[in-house]
Amino acid sequence: MKRRTLPAVAALAATAALLLTACGSGDDKAGDNDKIAGADRATKTPTASASASGAPAEDKPDGVDVSLPKDMNLVFDWAKPKNRNEAAAMNDAANFVRAIYHGVAEGKADVAAVAAYSTGGGLTYAKTQINSRVDDGWTATGTRRHYDATTRSAANGDSVEVDFCVDSSKFYGKKVKSGKVLKSAPSIADYDYFKIIMVKYPTSNGLWQASNVYVEGKAAKCQ
C-alpha cells in the first residue's frame, strides 16, 4: 500500500474570492507576535545566483536550502503568470512545497526553508506534514507532479491565491531504516487539488510565504 503524501488537512469549503478576502485582511502576515525563527536571516541577504555556493540555483532560492535527494523529484509543470507578484507568489509556493520535502528528507521540521516560506497556518501545515512522516520513520521517493496552476491576487496586492493539481501516482512512501518502498496501483486517491494563500513577507520585496493551505483529496478534476 502506498503511503499518501501531503494528506488533506482541510476540505475546500470556501470560494477563491472568500479565501482572498480572508488573507487580504493582513491577519495572516508575520508580525511581531508571529515571527518565524530564521526568516529574517533568510530574507536580509537574498541571493540572485545561489549556484555560486556550489548548489544549483533552484536548490538555494533566496539563499535558503531546499535541496532534495536524487530519488525525490518534484516537478512543477506550470506556466509563469504575467503579473509580477503572482509570478513571485507562484514561485515561492513551489519553494514552500520543496521546503516541506526538504524537511522530510532531513528528518526534521525545524529547517530554515520551512521558516522562510511559510507563516501562520502554512507553517503549522508544513510542520504537521513533516512530523507525521518523520515520527513514523518515513520519507518519500519517486516523482510528484504539480500542474494546471492558476493565480488570483487580492485587491490590496498583498496576497495571492495559488491553485494547482498534484499527481502522486508515481510518488511513494519509503521506510528510512529499511529503504523499503510501498507501492500500490494508481487510483483517484493519487490526485489532490491545492489552494495555497501566499502573502508578502513584511521586510522583503521578493519573498512570499504560504499562510494557509487548503486541500481537496481524490480530486477527479485533476485526473
Side-chain angles (χ1 to χ4, degrees), residues 1-147:
M1 178 178 181
K2 180 165 61 179
R3 183 175 176 83
R4 297 290 298 128
T5 59
L6 288 180
V9 296
L12 289 170
T15 64
L18 287 176
L19 290 175
L20 287 170
T21 299
C23 74
S25 66
D27 292 340
D28 290 323
K29 289 184 181 180
D32 291 338
N33 296 324
D34 192 24
K35 280 201 171 180
I36 307 169
D40 285 333
R41 181 175 64 253
T43 58
K44 283 181 181 177
T45 56
T47 57
S49 57
S51 58
S53 67
E58 62 270 20
D59 284 350
K60 297 197 72 175
D62 304 302
V64 181
D65 186 10
V66 292
S67 61
L68 300 170
K70 291 182 179 181
D71 67 335
M72 195 184 291
N73 187 28
L74 304 183
V75 176
F76 296 90
D77 185 13
W78 55 41
K80 183 178 179 180
K82 293 182 180 180
N83 180 281
R84 182 177 179 181
N85 279 348
E86 291 183 3
M90 177 182 280
N91 186 62
D92 282 344
N95 287 331
F96 169 65
V97 176
R98 292 187 183 102
I100 291 175
Y101 281 103
H102 175 75
V104 170
E106 291 291 309
K108 58 184 179 181
D110 185 20
V111 292
V114 169
Y117 293 110
S118 59
T119 186
L123 180 61
T124 299
Y125 176 85
K127 288 188 173 182
T128 299
Q129 300 310 309
I130 295 169
N131 287 331
S132 67
R133 301 187 72 89
V134 172
D135 291 349
D136 290 338
W138 291 94
T139 184
T141 186
T143 298
R144 186 177 192 262
R145 191 167 73 91
H146 311 73
Y147 54 99

Side-chain angles (χ1 to χ4, degrees), residues 24 29 83 85-86 89 153-160 198-200 208:
K29 289 184 181 180
N83 180 281
N85 279 348
E86 291 183 3
S153 299
N156 62 10
D158 288 338
S159 59
V160 174
M198 304 295 295
V199 294
K200 282 185 177 180
W208 290 74

